[in-house]
Amino acid sequence: MQIILDHSSNHESNEYLRALWAKLRTEYGKCAWQFTPYKDGQSKTVHFGFMDIGLDSTVEVSINYEKKGVIKSINLDSSLPREQLELLKQLCSGLNQASNKECFIISTVLESPLPAFAPVVGNGFRIFHRDSGESILQIQVLAFDHHDAAHIAACKMQHVCDLLAVFTNSFVKLTKIMWSRSFSEVSQNVEFTGDLGWVDDHPVENELTTLASYQKSAIGLLLQDKVKSEFINGAAHFNNAAFLLKDYALTNGALTDTATVLYVSALESCAMTKDVVKESCSSCGQVKYSIRRRVLDLVSEFFPKHLVRFIDGYYASRSKFLHEGIMCSKNNYFGTSIPQLSVNSDSGCQVATSVLPINLRDYVSYIFRGTVMSESEVAFDSQQTSMSSITKF
């Protein structure tokens, strides 16, 4: 059974699908999936899989498109009786997604090795801590039901956690998801009052992890989809790198190379938010301004030459790891050092374990915070009021 929809945009199609699944949950009590997505480019069809709405048979659901990501028609194939398929057709055809959204407050408990977060009341979000010491993040979303709300909010909350990671120089992860109709009452709105130019530290005041005013504003802009995707992606790499090394030990340093790749990749993403003039070589056609050059130029905005060289060394190590599989150490330290020579290492010695790249973490975090503060137009998609300048080395 085919239902013609003729949508005009990807946004319209995804809004329709979210509304449809919510309507099915309301009408039938469930909308579960054997989700087996694939696309047939020749027939311009995207198959979702098999939908279970509690009837005697599942329904195979697919869509046809003329433009990628935009629904032309939706197809329902099933052995259900025709009258039941007709009811489904009426539901699909008569759906008015624009008027069915409701406001939901989605909450999560934050995982972080730092002290609990100080209370923050921002535009569309709250951060606070309970007496138990748990830090809570709440955001407001418009959605078609609470399942849809949790799905939409989880993505936004992960992005908030990624910003919190670079703001606090540590990993921050969301855990369980809860929903309600209203924000929790937060009586205070505490802001960081210390030196904003800190590097190898964490913003802890009065035994609470505390956000600066510009960081609160940045989270509000993120929830309005006004932060550049490259910046968010870079912050996510930083967050994942820090999380990867949360259980680091000398005898468990094998993940250090992977974390280093993520830290350097975070800088690449951050550097990609900047506009540069690209020139191609007249003889070979290659772009002269390399990604590595972008990264080093970004680093040089905040650090002196010797630290630019320090980070460039990590960039070189990352390239060797990714392209040649060369690791920084043999990962064979279990309590006793056995000095030996190496013809390839920078030190001339075999390295038994990878050193925790804590300075690299500190510098990457500092650059992200500095990018937000000193050049807000780089991090954000629209022009914003200038934020305070960060102290540079």
Side-chain angles (χ1 to χ4, degrees):
M1 180 179 290
Q2 185 178 63
I3 301 104
I4 302 299
L5 297 174
D6 284 328
H7 289 167
S8 59
S9 69
N10 175 256
H11 175 75
E12 180 186 8
S13 292
N14 281 334
E15 289 283 298
Y16 171 84
L17 292 173
R18 288 171 52 203
L20 177 59
W21 313 143
K23 185 66 174 178
L24 290 170
R25 284 189 289 266
T26 299
E27 293 294 324
Y28 293 95
K30 68 182 294 188
C31 181
W33 286 89
Q34 182 183 350
F35 188 46
T36 55
Y38 72 93
K39 180 172 69 175
D40 184 339
Q42 187 171 2
S43 64
K44 294 186 176 180
T45 304
V46 173
H47 297 260
F48 291 127
F50 297 88
M51 178 178 66
D52 178 5
I53 53 176
L55 300 178
D56 292 336
S57 177
T58 59
V59 180
E60 185 176 4
V61 184
S62 63
I63 65 97
N64 296 111
Y65 63 90
E66 288 296 333
K67 181 181 178 181
K68 288 182 180 179
V70 181
I71 297 176
K72 180 176 179 59
S73 62
I74 188 167
N75 309 300
L76 307 175
D77 295 310
S78 178
S79 60
L80 288 170
R82 184 166 183 81
E83 58 269 21
Q84 290 185 336
L85 286 174
E86 284 296 330
L87 287 174
L88 279 175
K89 180 179 180 180
Q90 292 175 19
L91 191 152
C92 293
S93 302
L95 195 62
N96 180 13
Q97 65 264 34
S99 60
N100 293 333
K101 284 186 179 180
E102 301 177 74
C103 181
F104 293 88
I105 305 300
I106 306 299
S107 306
T108 187
V109 177
L110 298 176
E111 179 188 356
S112 171
L114 302 181
F117 277 88
V120 176
V121 178
N123 185 11
F125 74 97
R126 304 282 190 276
I127 299 175
F128 58 93
H129 64 274
R130 294 171 174 161
D131 292 340
S132 62
E134 287 183 328
S135 293
I136 308 297
L137 167 64
Q138 293 183 335
I139 71 169
Q140 177 179 284
V141 294
L142 290 174
F144 298 103
D145 63 9
H146 72 273
H147 296 286
D148 184 56
H151 176 77
I152 296 302
C155 183
K156 291 180 177 291
M157 295 174 102
Q158 185 57 65
H159 292 334
V160 172
C161 287
D162 295 332
L163 282 192
L164 290 175
V166 295
F167 290 162
T168 62
N169 198 25
S170 177
F171 73 82
V172 180
K173 294 292 183 179
L174 59 85
T175 56
K176 57 186 177 182
I177 296 289
M178 302 154 283
W179 72 275
S180 63
R181 292 291 187 178
S182 60
F183 279 116
S184 298
E185 189 67 31
V186 179
S187 58
Q188 293 178 295
N189 197 4
V190 179
E191 293 182 355
F192 184 72
T193 61
D195 179 11
L196 295 178
W198 59 270
V199 182
D200 53 347
D201 203 350
H202 307 284
V204 177
E205 290 186 328
N206 300 317
E207 299 182 347
L208 293 174
T209 303
T210 310
L211 299 182
S213 176
Y214 80 91
Q215 296 169 347
K216 169 184 163 182
S217 299
I219 293 172
L221 291 170
L222 170 69
L223 295 175
Q224 298 174 51
D225 298 322
K226 292 183 178 180
V227 178
K228 289 184 177 180
S229 60
E230 296 92 342
F231 192 87
I232 299 171
N233 294 340
H237 288 329
F238 176 92
N239 197 7
N240 290 330
F243 184 76
L244 201 61
L245 296 179
K246 67 175 184 174
D247 297 321
Y248 170 84
L250 287 175
T251 55
N252 184 29
L255 292 177
T256 303
D257 291 287
T258 306
T260 298
V261 166
L262 289 172
Y263 281 134
V264 175
S265 296
L267 285 179
E268 277 194 351
S269 295
C270 188
M272 294 300 288
T273 63
K274 289 179 172 290
D275 293 326
V276 297
V277 177
K278 295 181 180 179
E279 297 181 24
S280 298
C281 176
S282 58
S283 59
C284 69
Q286 294 294 316
V287 176
K288 290 181 179 180
Y289 196 85
S290 68
I291 296 177
R292 173 175 170 270
R293 186 69 262 159
R294 275 185 185 236
V295 171
L296 298 182
D297 284 351
L298 174 66
V299 175
S300 66
E301 292 182 21
F302 298 96
F303 293 114
K305 291 181 179 180
H306 72 280
L307 291 182
V308 175
R309 290 194 296 270
F310 171 83
I311 291 179
D312 193 24
Y314 274 109
Y315 199 99
S317 297
R318 187 199 74 149
S319 297
K320 291 178 181 178
F321 176 75
L322 289 177
H323 303 305
E324 301 177 51
I326 297 175
M327 303 183 73
C328 292
S329 73
K330 291 184 172 296
N331 295 305
N332 61 346
Y333 177 82
F334 288 94
T336 302
S337 294
I338 309 293
Q340 297 178 76
L341 296 176
S342 170
V343 297
N344 295 319
S345 72
D346 293 338
S347 67
C349 298
Q350 291 185 12
V351 180
T353 186
S354 299
V355 178
L356 183 68
I358 191 166
N359 286 336
L360 179 62
R361 181 203 68 184
D362 295 342
Y363 298 152
V364 172
S365 169
Y366 180 85
I367 289 169
F368 269 84
R369 296 193 305 276
T371 299
V372 174
M373 293 176 67
S374 63
E375 296 186 60
S376 58
E377 73 276 7
V378 173
F380 303 116
D381 280 326
S382 59
Q383 293 291 334
Q384 308 296 332
T385 303
S386 291
M387 299 184 183
S388 305
S389 292
I390 191 169
T391 302
K392 299 185 181 182
F393 277 59

